[in-house]
Amino acid sequence: MYATERQAAIERILDAEGRLVVVDLAERFDVTTETVRRDLATLEQRGVLQRVHGGAVAQGRSSTRETSISERIHERSDAKGRIARAALNLLGDRFSGSVLLDAGSTVGALAQELPSSLVARGGRADVVTHSFAHAPLLAEQDGIDLTLVGGRVRRVTGAAVGATTVAALQGLRPDVAFLGTNGLSAAFGLSTPDPEEAAVKRAAVAAARRVVVLCDAQKFDLELLVSFAPLSALDVLVTDAAPPAALAEALERADIEVVVA
């Protein structure tokens, strides 16, 4: 395969998967990692992608870039639905306890299915969330008592943030927290673009007895501006594809259960 053909194929992979890993590309094209890095350098010069540690992401995906919740709801909705249903299975039948729901579109997919899932399995839940986007999906639903945590609402995520929000979460001890993340990597853990969002997520991780992270495969190996939890803080990762080798090894070392929906 000529370099131009390989680079065109790399562009197609980037369009489909949203990220590139050097080692994976080298195996896929049966070339050296040095050859792949030269291809990525060429594509970066053309403005196609942005190189990051171990691979590349689509151009414009910087450590502070963040799309609105209204946009993300419609992105990869099938994958998010599968992740949400697999995460709900972790609650089991006749669940009766407290659940903390983080902000974000993948957790939003879980919030949408939570009431019917609980009713079908004969369960109930005391649900706490700081997401003003999730609250309408849960209010006045059978099997759910809802507590909405206040604070300053970030328009881009529809989530309450700030000292008031953090203090409220620090006073809780939910049985399980379902969290979203913008990036997940072996070295940097879970990360997000905004420091205030990170502070709330950090408080949620510290508060919960069990931490379940919902993360689609496009976020693997991404490192956003602020880390809010190391891998060792997680109990379960629910995703839609097997993590790449280096991340999978790190997850195994941290004794994290990985559920692929």
Side-chain angles (χ1 to χ4, degrees):
M1 179 182 289
Y2 293 111
T4 53
E5 294 174 318
R6 189 172 55 250
Q7 290 161 14
I10 289 173
E11 284 192 60
R12 291 193 293 271
I13 294 170
L14 181 61
D15 288 340
E17 301 180 9
R19 65 174 186 88
L20 301 168
V21 178
V22 170
V23 174
D24 291 347
L25 291 175
E27 293 178 355
R28 188 177 304 198
F29 294 111
D30 193 24
V31 296
T32 66
T33 54
E34 288 75 14
T35 297
V36 172
R37 290 191 180 94
R38 285 196 295 270
D39 287 336
L40 297 184
T42 298
L43 292 171
E44 185 175 45
Q45 290 174 352
R46 286 163 42 191
V48 173
L49 53 79
Q50 177 182 345
R51 284 188 293 175
V52 297
H53 179 70
V57 296
Q59 183 63 35
R61 293 190 69 170
S62 68
S63 67
T64 57
R65 184 177 182 270
E66 191 172 12
T67 54
S68 69
I69 184 69
S70 59
E71 292 177 272
R72 283 184 282 134
I73 285 173
H74 304 292
E75 293 177 354
R76 308 198 73 219
S77 57
D78 289 344
K80 291 173 182 177
R82 294 197 306 274
I83 291 170
R85 289 187 290 274
L88 286 171
N89 287 338
L90 298 172
L91 295 179
D93 293 335
R94 300 190 178 278
F95 174 83
S96 180
S98 52
V99 174
L100 174 61
L101 297 185
D102 184 26
S105 57
T106 310
V107 179
L110 183 146
Q112 189 165 9
E113 299 207 24
L114 178 59
S116 59
S117 177
L118 287 173
V119 170
R121 300 177 186 215
R124 59 163 301 280
D126 292 296
V127 178
V128 179
T129 186
H130 66 290
S131 170
F132 283 68
H134 301 346
L137 304 173
L138 301 167
E140 300 182 5
Q141 294 287 341
D142 292 339
I144 289 180
D145 290 322
L146 176 65
T147 298
L148 182 59
V149 176
R152 183 181 67 82
V153 179
R154 290 189 73 226
R155 186 176 301 177
V156 69
T157 59
V161 297
T164 300
T165 311
V166 170
L169 294 180
Q170 288 173 338
L172 300 175
R173 189 66 165 154
D175 294 313
V176 58
F178 292 108
L179 300 178
T181 185
N182 298 78
L184 177 68
S185 76
F188 203 54
L190 283 74
S191 57
T192 193
D194 183 75
E196 287 192 303
E197 291 271 5
V200 173
K201 290 176 181 290
R202 195 174 294 120
V205 170
R209 300 178 191 275
R210 191 182 192 200
V211 177
V212 180
V213 173
L214 282 58
C215 175
D216 70 75
Q218 287 193 351
K219 298 171 182 175
F220 290 160
D221 293 326
L222 294 185
E223 297 179 350
L224 283 298
L225 181 63
V226 187
S227 173
F228 64 87
L231 294 184
S232 59
L234 315 184
D235 294 295
V236 185
L237 167 66
V238 186
T239 184
D240 61 321
L247 179 56
E249 291 174 8
L251 291 165
E252 185 175 1
R253 285 196 303 270
D255 196 27
I256 297 168
E257 179 184 356
V258 178
V259 177
V260 178

